[in-house]
Amino acid sequence: MTLEDLRVFAAVCRAGSLSAVARDFSCTQSAVSQHVKRLERELGLSLLERHTRGVVPTPAGHTLSAAVTEGLGGIDHALRRLEEAARAEGGSVRVTTGATTVRHFMAAAVVDFRRRFPRASLEFQTETSSRGCFDALAAGRVDLAWITLGLPVRAIEQRPVVEIPWALAEAGIRPVFDTSVTDWDTAILLAELGLGLAVVPALPAWNGPGHPDLRLIPVPALPALTAGWAVRRWDALSPLARAFADTVAHHCGKQTVRE
């Protein structure tokens, strides 16, 4: 039983697919299967049930997966802390979030953080959903995830930072047609071009010189979004990661005051 066996097994349990993990690990599906079979031989237990649409953990697999996820997270955090202590250049902070989050919530914080910690490295990894962010945290690939907060997630701590009300975006132009998009920036652009109306989060960046003709009409009937940080454990964050999280929260607070 090796650490790589455990990493691959935990990834299979999260993905529910041997082929998906093979792509992520840049190996063959047969190699992924061998990692799992080695664990099953040593433990004398079946860990996965094969179905037509993928695999699911057996009761024994659930037990091992939970322990491995918790253990690997602690190991990865400890290794990174040791690596940072040994590096003169100051270490790194790894953040995962959606495609437009840095522009809307972190631009000022990134500048501030780099000024205060010029030797630190900021690494951003884009995910398309909160679930993807949670998986990146569980796998130890990132330190912090910026998400829209929702229901509690096992082994993940969530901390609210800012509440964002909804608004109807229009530019004083009669829409040519209604349209539906999932990207906030695209929705704003289409509204400004008169191609539709958009119900979007009322982000501070949309009230300013960059959008001189845009009006945001509050929609109080819709509950506000709560955005913030998700981590495995706050007390296990490196000092640099905690400093970046606090810097973002500070600048989001300043944006809220201006609104």
Side-chain angles (χ1 to χ4, degrees):
M1 181 184 305
T2 67
L3 188 60
E4 189 67 8
D5 292 337
L6 297 174
R7 287 188 187 278
V8 171
F9 173 69
V12 170
C13 290
R14 289 194 303 273
S17 166
L18 297 177
S19 59
V21 173
R23 289 193 298 270
D24 290 344
F25 280 72
S26 300
C27 64
T28 64
Q29 185 171 326
S30 175
V32 172
S33 181
Q34 288 303 314
H35 283 290
V36 177
K37 288 179 180 178
R38 184 156 48 235
L39 290 174
E40 291 179 324
R41 284 197 303 270
E42 292 195 30
L43 295 172
L45 293 167
S46 177
L47 298 175
L48 295 176
E49 294 178 355
R50 276 75 174 177
H51 298 281
T52 55
R53 294 187 177 183
V55 296
V56 296
T58 64
H62 275 296
T63 299
L64 180 61
S65 176
V68 168
T69 298
E70 184 68 25
L72 288 178
I75 291 172
D76 287 336
H77 276 298
L79 290 175
R80 290 200 65 245
R81 295 288 291 273
L82 291 173
E83 289 171 359
E84 289 179 0
R87 291 170 56 191
E89 55 267 33
S92 64
V93 180
R94 301 170 302 171
V95 183
T96 184
T97 186
T100 62
T101 296
V102 175
R103 177 206 305 271
H104 295 305
F105 297 102
M106 299 185 187
V110 168
V111 173
D112 188 6
F113 181 81
R114 291 304 303 271
R115 177 183 57 78
R116 292 163 54 206
F117 303 97
R119 293 182 295 177
S121 171
L122 277 174
E123 304 170 15
F124 289 93
Q125 172 182 316
T126 301
E127 294 288 347
T128 58
S129 67
S130 292
R131 172 50 54 192
C133 291
F134 294 145
D135 288 345
L137 284 171
R141 298 195 300 270
V142 296
D143 306 297
L144 298 159
W146 181 269
I147 62 168
T148 300
L149 271 61
L151 296 175
V153 177
R154 186 179 180 277
I156 298 292
E157 297 181 21
Q158 301 182 45
R159 180 169 295 183
V161 173
V162 62
E163 288 198 350
I164 314 161
W166 290 91
L168 177 67
E170 60 95 15
I173 305 172
R174 183 176 178 179
V176 177
F177 56 82
D178 290 331
T179 186
S180 175
V181 296
T182 58
D183 178 77
W184 297 354
D185 286 316
T186 302
I188 287 292
L189 176 59
L190 294 179
E192 290 181 321
L193 294 174
L195 298 180
L197 299 176
V199 176
V200 294
L203 301 175
W206 290 336
N207 282 304
H211 304 274
D213 299 321
L214 189 69
R215 288 200 311 156
L216 296 180
I217 304 170
V219 185
L222 294 178
L225 293 174
T226 302
W229 291 115
V231 301
R232 285 185 53 82
R233 285 173 45 198
W234 283 101
D235 61 3
L237 282 178
S238 70
L240 272 177
R242 184 177 291 273
F244 183 70
D246 291 343
T247 302
V248 172
H250 171 71
H251 283 275
C252 283
K254 291 172 65 176
Q255 288 178 336
T256 301
V257 169
R258 285 199 297 269
E259 289 181 290

